[in-house]
Amino acid sequence: MGEKGVRGGPGPGEDAAGPVRNHKGEQTGSLDRRAFLAGAAGVLGAGVAKGLPPFPGQGPQDASDLQDAEIVVPEDPTRVQGPTASVVGSRSPFEQPRRFLHPQLTSSRTPLQELHGTITPSDLHFERHHGGVAHIDPERYSLLIHGMVERPMVFTYEDLKRFPSVSKVYFMECSGNFPRNASEDTLPQQVCGLTSQSEWTGVPLATLFREVGILPEASWFLAEGADAAVMTRSIPMEKAWDDALIAYGQNGEALRPENGYPARLFLPGWEGNASVKWLRRIEVADAPFMTREETSRYTDPLKGGKVRQFSFVMDARSIITSPCYPQTIRPGWNEVRGIAWSGRGRIRSAEVSFDEGATWHQADLQEPILPKAHVRFRYMWHWDGSEATVLSRTTDETGYVQPTQQELIEARGVGTRYHLNPITGWRIRPDGTVVYRMEEWA
Amino acid sequence: MGEKGVRGGPGPGEDAAGPVRNHKGEQTGSLDRRAFLAGAAGVLGAGVAKGLPPFPGQGPQDASDLQDAEIVVPEDPTRVQGPTASVVGSRSPFEQPRRFLHPQLTSSRTPLQELHGTITPSDLHFERHHGGVAHIDPERYSLLIHGMVERPMVFTYEDLKRFPSVSKVYFMECSGNFPRNASEDTLPQQVCGLTSQSEWTGVPLATLFREVGILPEASWFLAEGADAAVMTRSIPMEKAWDDALIAYGQNGEALRPENGYPARLFLPGWEGNASVKWLRRIEVADAPFMTREETSRYTDPLKGGKVRQFSFVMDARSIITSPCYPQTIRPGWNEVRGIAWSGRGRIRSAEVSFDEGATWHQADLQEPILPKAHVRFRYMWHWDGSEATVLSRTTDETGYVQPTQQELIEARGVGTRYHLNPITGWRIRPDGTVVYRMEEWA
């Protein structure tokens, strides 16, 4: 593992100009663009057998031989046989999206400005954890459901996967998705990269609750994680009967470790911390449990000394992902691109403004418009080369309109740290450079 | 690069039980389950700067310090601070899906039996290439459109990304998606793992054709790749005006190299080889070009010495991905799961049979049911423990019904190698083991 191999020569029965590594005649001069070590993504996959039967017809090549390879980018790719097929692919050496790390390494943010469409690649899904990433052996995993139930039960990972399943595309957003120290040099990733989207697969929590039998007086349940923080949240029973999932699949594959492998609670449209990861226990009760994460944290101080608690639903929000910092745009037609979403259901509209919100223009929404999901919006804009701002706002199917920052402050005061979803945007300078449109929080 | 670091200690300001590597007290005995080297997926990403500004607030940690880490799976994950956030995630060491390699390494097949939902992770998307994977510097990429046009033009990668864009979920299937040497020990991946699904983003080819101005007599165009095979196919103009894309995005991120980075032709619902990857040239003409890939290859010999040419559309098909080889199932309720798709549009129904096709039962289709896309189907089946077969067939919105193998042979003879979409299935033995239901090709 980790040794550099050489690949790209012809497979059996293939003809080729020769091994890839002998061709280095590109015209660009920097070492960065000349040769890359690629294929590292599959090293782990190749080295660990999983109990699958050996693949017939694989010949003498061991999978581990096919991963570490020196990828040389040839001057003329038509003259050079390229690398052969591989068991797990790797990104182009020219594409290196990465999450933005919180200084304390307790969270990372999705690079929204580098993404197209609506799906977030699973290795770029935002992270937020309170005791690091729990690594769990699925053969030792279990989920206990007890409390106000007729039959307390324990479910293994295999049990969960045997129940009737559903797959749904949903966004997941952290309630703290706002930049603390924004400057003009702020990326969309920093403004609101604590939202990501996946196709989630799992078993409806309602199915498991019917298995254990919920007592009539039950009104809340506790969800407890198996991480070092033993993350716990109280959830109203209504959410279980509505659309809560016990999720084990993410974008086709198993959950990623930082997203709760092997199984997590998933509450569509609700603040991410309530969708407890590495879920090991659910206790059904007739009142909330008042855990640390719903008393000292994840509450919203309001004006006049009041505090908003159990503020689960994520309000409608949008962000423009192009143009944005650090792009430089050219006069003429530019497509304004972004995403919009609402925890309350479907997005009804996304609008863009070029005059600080005096007038708004309807953007196109990419179909299908799914409930509680990121929707891609687009608007063709002819930039005349003069200074401009580009803002976006969205309205969801309930009629809720994304507020300005000033409206948020007037409604809640300046002490709120969570559920901040103001209209944001970008300032275009006459030279085409794009910077974050800062607003003072006061 | 490649050196093993140690991670998992507390970040600044975090408290923790201690570094992860000191906890190794799990109960499972094998070395495989004890300690894993993880994080390799991000090594390349960390090591290569991409011209982005440095992230503020990242402190002393360099991204390259955060990737190679020894992941120890602790006995009790609540007692051990887990690894910190990372710039690019890795799979759980317990989940190692891998593509199945063709002996000549010219293709690899998606592990359908390990996937949930409908999205294929990009690093597991099937591959098929005729001259290896072309690695292309996007700054040196260009697409020439010429021939019967008013204004021949060259488009750079940046040009393509500037045009109005669309994002659509589509399947992509190779016309050779059938096992040559099936046995009872055959996985869904081997039966039809040459189909995968992504959310593709790009510019409609019609938009570019309006830019260059197509002459009235034009009826076909040539698509040419920049790979070592200089892959070329002739495509009817109608497809360009319908839904053809020049795709540069796949599941949110840039195309993967084996899928044509930086840009490819994408023809929804058509055989994969026609969606030319690493697209460098389009020549507009008034007749097909009769290239190697549409004369000596990718033609279907029929009965009576006739040959079917330009058989672009992929017929409706389905596959059961659970139960399947090598599972062992238990008597009682089992959810039959699979995917169905059609190159002609939407799937109308998916049915399952447990009596060799004598009777069929409607399966549930997971919404949204998108055109030219994999649809997940599910059916709850109570297995009584006796020998059984499980078959699936699908019908698309045009009324086309997936045929039996015998019907295919009667219609086309036994010489056909492409576009084979027969009903397939699995045999359940009384002990619960599942094997591929073989059918002789005659």
Side-chain angles (χ1 to χ4, degrees):
Chain A
M1 230 184 237
E3 282 187 23
K4 300 171 192 176
V6 176
R7 189 153 54 97
E14 300 273 304
D15 52 6
V20 170
R21 66 166 1 188
N22 291 338
H23 297 263
K24 296 192 178 181
E26 320 83 81
Q27 291 166 338
T28 53
S30 86
L31 186 63
D32 278 351
R33 303 191 82 80
R34 193 169 296 152
F36 294 91
L37 180 71
V43 170
L44 182 66
V48 181
K50 259 285 293 207
L52 269 179
F55 284 148
Q58 295 297 277
Q61 329 86 7
D62 182 79
S64 60
D65 296 339
L66 301 168
Q67 292 307 313
D68 271 355
E70 195 173 318
I71 299 294
V72 174
V73 180
E75 182 178 14
D76 180 354
T78 67
R79 304 288 295 273
V80 185
Q81 181 81 3
T84 55
S86 59
V87 294
V88 180
S90 302
R91 293 193 166 97
S92 164
F94 298 101
E95 298 289 338
Q96 302 304 327
R98 56 191 173 121
R99 298 187 286 209
F100 177 85
L101 298 173
H102 187 280
Q104 294 192 345
L105 304 181
T106 52
S107 68
S108 68
R109 291 166 171 252
T110 292
L112 300 175
Q113 69 281 356
E114 297 190 58
L115 299 186
H116 313 288
T118 67
I119 291 290
T120 306
S122 294
D123 60 0
L124 299 175
H125 193 290
F126 86 83
E127 297 171 85
R128 173 72 177 103
H129 26 71
H130 301 71
V133 176
H135 278 271
I136 294 177
D137 181 340
E139 291 189 8
R140 298 171 61 202
Y141 171 85
S142 68
L143 169 62
L144 165 66
I145 304 183
H146 69 139
M148 289 185 171
V149 302
E150 294 171 8
R151 296 169 295 279
M153 292 178 78
V154 172
F155 301 95
T156 67
Y157 183 46
E158 286 307 314
D159 290 339
L160 293 178
K161 290 201 286 187
R162 203 175 172 209
F163 278 97
S165 58
V166 298
S167 299
K168 291 279 191 180
V169 173
Y170 289 125
F171 80 83
M172 161 71 66
E173 185 180 15
C174 175
S175 58
N177 192 18
F178 200 68
R180 296 290 164 85
N181 302 303
S183 67
E184 289 198 330
D185 302 345
T186 299
L187 295 160
Q189 176 170 25
Q190 295 165 282
V191 176
C192 71
L194 292 174
T195 189
S196 309
Q197 177 146 297
S198 300
E199 183 191 44
W200 301 94
T201 296
V203 50
L205 181 54
T207 302
L208 301 185
F209 275 3
R210 282 191 288 266
E211 285 288 305
V212 298
I214 300 296
L215 298 184
E217 60 269 35
S219 55
W220 290 76
F221 66 88
L222 181 80
E224 179 183 276
D227 59 329
V230 192
M231 180 79 185
T232 45
R233 285 301 310 264
S234 306
I235 310 294
M237 282 301 297
E238 291 75 14
K239 190 65 175 172
W241 301 125
D242 180 9
D243 58 5
L245 296 178
I246 306 299
Y248 49 78
Q250 177 184 8
N251 289 339
E253 59 179 289
L255 292 187
R256 292 299 181 112
E258 65 267 38
N259 269 288
Y261 179 82
R264 72 178 299 171
L265 184 61
F266 192 95
L267 306 175
W270 285 20
E271 58 182 17
N273 72 81
S275 288
V276 172
K277 297 185 283 195
W278 312 291
L279 185 69
R280 70 170 186 179
R281 187 170 73 90
I282 288 177
E283 183 176 347
V284 179
D286 58 1
F289 288 74
M290 298 299 173
T291 73
R292 181 183 62 179
E293 311 300 338
E294 55 212 22
T295 49
S296 73
R297 286 166 135 173
Y298 295 119
T299 54
D300 292 331
L302 301 177
K303 284 195 295 193
K306 290 192 176 180
V307 171
R308 188 165 69 147
Q309 194 180 24
F310 300 121
S311 46
F312 291 118
V313 179
M314 298 306 296
D315 296 316
R317 190 170 182 185
S318 65
I319 175 106
I320 291 170
T321 58
S322 182
C324 71
Y325 175 76
Q327 295 177 3
T328 299
I329 68 169
R330 291 176 284 173
W333 290 107
N334 288 272
E335 189 171 64
V336 177
R337 297 168 185 163
I339 50 174
W341 64 97
S342 169
R344 291 191 176 80
R346 286 185 170 79
I347 286 298
R348 178 189 292 168
S349 73
E351 298 165 290
V352 292
S353 172
F354 307 100
D355 55 8
E356 284 289 339
T359 57
W360 291 94
H361 309 270
Q362 288 287 344
D364 292 326
L365 299 181
Q366 177 74 60
E367 295 190 335
I369 300 169
L370 301 172
K372 306 177 185 179
H374 289 168
V375 175
R376 178 63 61 177
F377 67 83
R378 299 176 171 108
Y379 182 85
M380 284 305 290
W381 173 50
H382 194 277
W383 180 48
D384 64 7
S386 60
E387 177 135 345
T389 56
V390 190
L391 307 178
S392 68
R393 78 172 177 195
T394 188
T395 303
D396 71 19
E397 63 181 344
T398 72
Y400 175 95
V401 182
Q402 184 182 4
T404 64
Q405 182 166 304
Q406 201 50 46
E407 288 169 340
L408 267 180
I409 291 173
E410 283 166 18
R412 297 197 209 150
V414 295
T416 301
R417 294 175 63 204
Y418 298 106
H419 290 272
L420 299 175
N421 63 328
I423 290 168
T424 55
W426 308 94
R427 195 175 302 284
I428 319 292
R429 293 174 174 146
D431 64 357
T433 56
V434 185
V435 296
Y436 183 58
R437 173 183 163 277
M438 291 175 58
E439 274 189 281
E440 205 180 342
W441 184 259
Chain B
M1 234 184 238
E3 281 187 25
K4 300 173 192 175
V6 176
R7 189 153 55 98
E14 299 274 304
D15 53 5
V20 169
R21 65 167 359 188
N22 290 339
H23 296 264
K24 295 192 178 183
E26 319 83 80
Q27 289 166 339
T28 53
S30 85
L31 187 63
D32 278 352
R33 304 190 81 81
R34 194 167 296 153
F36 294 91
L37 180 70
V43 171
L44 183 67
V48 182
K50 260 288 294 219
L52 270 179
F55 284 149
Q58 295 298 275
Q61 329 87 4
D62 182 80
S64 60
D65 295 339
L66 301 168
Q67 293 306 314
D68 272 354
E70 195 173 317
I71 299 295
V72 174
V73 180
E75 182 177 12
D76 180 353
T78 67
R79 305 286 295 274
V80 185
Q81 181 81 3
T84 55
S86 58
V87 294
V88 180
S90 302
R91 293 191 166 98
S92 163
F94 298 101
E95 297 290 338
Q96 302 303 326
R98 54 190 174 122
R99 298 186 288 210
F100 177 86
L101 297 173
H102 187 280
Q104 295 191 344
L105 304 183
T106 52
S107 68
S108 69
R109 290 165 172 253
T110 292
L112 300 175
Q113 70 280 357
E114 297 191 59
L115 299 187
H116 313 287
T118 67
I119 291 290
T120 307
S122 295
D123 59 1
L124 299 175
H125 193 290
F126 86 85
E127 296 171 86
R128 173 71 177 104
H129 27 72
H130 301 71
V133 177
H135 278 271
I136 294 176
D137 182 341
E139 291 191 6
R140 298 170 61 202
Y141 171 84
S142 68
L143 169 62
L144 166 66
I145 304 184
H146 69 138
M148 289 185 171
V149 302
E150 293 171 7
R151 296 169 296 278
M153 293 178 78
V154 172
F155 302 94
T156 67
Y157 183 46
E158 286 307 314
D159 290 339
L160 293 177
K161 290 201 285 188
R162 204 174 172 209
F163 278 97
S165 58
V166 298
S167 299
K168 292 279 191 181
V169 173
Y170 289 124
F171 80 84
M172 160 72 67
E173 186 181 14
C174 176
S175 58
N177 192 18
F178 200 68
R180 295 290 165 82
N181 302 302
S183 67
E184 289 197 329
D185 302 344
T186 299
L187 296 160
Q189 176 170 25
Q190 294 165 283
V191 176
C192 72
L194 292 174
T195 190
S196 308
Q197 177 145 296
S198 301
E199 183 191 45
W200 301 95
T201 297
V203 50
L205 181 54
T207 302
L208 300 185
F209 275 3
R210 282 191 287 267
E211 285 288 306
V212 299
I214 300 297
L215 298 183
E217 59 270 34
S219 55
W220 290 76
F221 65 89
L222 182 81
E224 179 183 276
D227 59 328
V230 192
M231 181 79 185
T232 46
R233 285 300 312 262
S234 307
I235 310 297
M237 281 300 297
E238 291 75 15
K239 191 65 174 172
W241 301 127
D242 180 10
D243 59 4
L245 295 179
I246 307 299
Y248 51 77
Q250 177 184 8
N251 289 340
E253 60 179 287
L255 292 187
R256 292 298 181 112
E258 65 267 38
N259 269 289
Y261 179 81
R264 72 178 300 171
L265 184 61
F266 193 94
L267 306 175
W270 285 21
E271 59 182 16
N273 73 80
S275 288
V276 172
K277 297 184 283 195
W278 312 291
L279 184 69
R280 69 171 186 180
R281 187 170 74 90
I282 288 178
E283 183 176 348
V284 179
D286 59 2
F289 288 74
M290 297 301 172
T291 73
R292 182 183 62 179
E293 311 300 339
E294 55 210 23
T295 50
S296 73
R297 287 167 134 174
Y298 295 118
T299 54
D300 292 331
L302 301 177
K303 284 196 296 194
K306 289 192 177 181
V307 171
R308 188 165 69 147
Q309 194 180 25
F310 300 121
S311 46
F312 291 117
V313 179
M314 298 307 295
D315 297 316
R317 191 171 183 185
S318 65
I319 175 107
I320 291 170
T321 58
S322 182
C324 71
Y325 175 79
Q327 295 177 3
T328 299
I329 68 169
R330 290 177 285 174
W333 290 106
N334 288 273
E335 190 171 63
V336 178
R337 298 168 184 162
I339 50 173
W341 64 97
S342 169
R344 291 191 175 80
R346 286 185 170 78
I347 287 297
R348 178 188 293 167
S349 73
E351 298 165 292
V352 291
S353 172
F354 307 100
D355 55 9
E356 283 290 338
T359 55
W360 292 94
H361 308 272
Q362 289 287 345
D364 291 326
L365 301 181
Q366 177 74 59
E367 296 191 335
I369 300 168
L370 301 172
K372 305 177 186 179
H374 289 168
V375 175
R376 179 61 62 175
F377 67 84
R378 301 176 170 107
Y379 182 86
M380 283 305 290
W381 173 49
H382 194 275
W383 180 49
D384 64 7
S386 62
E387 176 134 346
T389 56
V390 189
L391 308 179
S392 68
R393 79 173 176 195
T394 188
T395 302
D396 70 19
E397 63 181 343
T398 72
Y400 175 94
V401 181
Q402 184 182 3
T404 65
Q405 182 166 303
Q406 202 51 46
E407 287 169 339
L408 266 181
I409 291 172
E410 284 165 17
R412 298 196 209 150
V414 295
T416 301
R417 295 175 64 204
Y418 299 106
H419 290 271
L420 299 175
N421 63 329
I423 290 169
T424 55
W426 309 93
R427 195 175 303 283
I428 319 292
R429 294 175 175 144
D431 65 358
T433 56
V434 185
V435 296
Y436 184 59
R437 172 183 163 277
M438 292 174 57
E439 273 188 283
E440 205 180 342
W441 184 260

